[in-house]
Amino acid sequence: MSDLVFFHDNEPVTSTPIIAAETRNDHASVIKLVRNYAADLEVFGPLEFKTSTFETSGGVQRREIAFLNAAQCAFVLARI
């Protein structure tokens, strides 16, 4: 099992793929939720997005992920 919380730029965060996996939701739904509530989430700190790659049976895919601090994560979890 991977860590649920890790340090990114010296801050404890989690990521949208972790939230999706742990809540048994698809990542597309979680990242859409983050995008829809971006202005509200930024009240708790800056949002950071990046593009990452991951393996599928069809080959390497790319997706956008977001890093969320504890308050941002709680906000998103309350809306899943």
Side-chain angles (χ1 to χ4, degrees):
M1 179 158 93
S2 65
D3 293 332
L4 300 177
V5 176
F6 55 93
F7 282 90
H8 178 74
D9 293 339
N10 295 321
E11 297 291 328
V13 296
T14 194
S15 66
T16 50
I18 292 171
I19 293 170
E22 294 298 321
T23 61
R24 295 187 177 146
N25 283 283
D26 60 281
H27 182 258
S29 297
V30 175
I31 197 74
K32 183 178 178 182
L33 190 64
V34 170
R35 281 283 181 203
N36 288 341
Y37 285 101
D40 296 313
L41 291 166
E42 287 180 334
V43 168
F44 302 110
L47 281 175
E48 183 179 345
F49 295 90
K50 81 170 201 174
T51 302
S52 72
T53 58
F54 64 103
E55 290 285 333
T56 68
S57 59
V60 176
Q61 302 287 320
R62 298 172 63 86
R63 68 177 165 195
E64 178 183 51
I65 67 169
F67 298 106
L68 305 174
N69 64 30
Q72 292 165 332
C73 182
F75 185 98
V76 169
L77 289 173
R79 284 149 181 84
I80 290 181

